[in-house]
Amino acid sequence: MIIQRVVLNSRPGKNGVPVAENFRLEQSTIADTIQVGQVRVRTLYLSVDPYMRCRMNEDTGSDYLLPWQLSEVADGGGIGVVEESKHDNLAKGDFVTSFNWPWQTVAILDGSLLQKLVPQLVSGHLSYFLGAAGITGLTALLGVKEKGHVAVGANQTMVVSGAAGACGSLAGQIGRLEGCSRVVGIAGTDEKCSILVQEMGFDAAINYKKGNVGEQLRELCPGGVDVYFDNVGGDISDTVISQMNQNSHIILCGQISQYNKDVPYPPPLPPDIEKIQKERNITRERFLVLNYMDKQEASVLQLCQWIQEGKLKVRETVVEGLANIGAAFQSMMNGGNIGKQIVSVSK
């Protein structure tokens, strides 16, 4: 069977900026028949995420991420529909997902590595299982619960950097739902800031490209910062940390400002900021959602309930066509999208 797939065409280099041309669309073939335990699936949606920048390097800098290989098919979160099955628990027409879905139109996969989806949980919005009701939502929810130490009635202020992104836009809302009394986002355009406040219920949002971030933070968080959901690292995070309270907490989710730099993960703090962290007993521990998969089922159900009740607003940026996945990746890394970046492969 002839299919289309996207392979890694070139590496941007440790300190390089990724571009669409780092990926290549090509024709390939898969077997016409499947073996016992396998399923043939047609790809519907693929997820494009910031962490994938690390996979473009020969050394990902992480002990849980494998590098993509040159001229080999890329992979990540994906959703598809079963077209043929020789696996006992999966049937034709079932919707399934995997963290390691190949970027191709049709694939033959091991059925035991796929998770069956229930579309009714997200009112038929299947792509939500790659975002708000998937690993992105789990990262936001479990990050807040496990590392944020949010308590109802504690009058806590949360700040979220990268707040208009897939994870940040959910984290701020979840912080509120879990008990934070004030939530402030940091994003890169006036449009994003407006959406955070008017659509997603943030109390305020700062455009870090306009004015002095530190001064705006002091004005918007007069009682200091108790919980910081950190998606970006770098100068913005240093500014937030300098205004954090005694015994406060950093949820170390991502460091997108550092992904194009040859630095360890998590990147070390500058000496003056590290001194503040230690003196104020601010927790800053690496957070990896895969360490909390025992809580996955209950957490996904909670996320789906909030979505159905309208308590969790979901934003997606959907790009049509497998051929455009490289451009979608480049746009995401440049901060050009709002919410989750999804590529729709076929209907």
Side-chain angles (χ1 to χ4, degrees), residues 217-234:
L217 267 179
R218 276 186 288 275
E219 180 181 339
L220 295 172
C221 307
V225 178
D226 302 295
V227 183
Y228 173 39
F229 200 100
D230 184 5
N231 285 303
V232 303

Side-chain angles (χ1 to χ4, degrees), residues 175-196:
R176 169 84 76 205
L177 290 166
E178 288 293 305
C180 284
S181 58
R182 186 165 182 76
V183 180
V184 176
I186 302 174
T189 68
D190 289 342
E191 179 193 10
K192 290 178 179 180
C193 290
S194 177
I195 288 171
L196 290 173

Side-chain angles (χ1 to χ4, degrees), residues 132-143:
I135 197 70
T136 309
L138 287 171
T139 300
L141 175 57
L142 291 171

Side-chain angles (χ1 to χ4, degrees), residues 273-289:
I273 302 299
E274 185 177 20
K275 182 180 179 183
I276 290 173
Q277 181 209 346
K278 291 180 178 178
E279 288 178 346
R280 298 181 191 171
N281 192 35
I282 302 170
T283 63
R284 183 181 184 257
E285 301 167 343
R286 179 180 178 182
F287 172 71
L288 180 61
V289 69

Side-chain angles (χ1 to χ4, degrees), residues 142-158:
L142 291 171
V144 170
K145 292 178 75 72
E146 300 296 330
K147 298 295 185 181
H149 303 278
V150 174
V152 175
N155 196 32
Q156 292 164 297
T157 293
M158 171 188 274

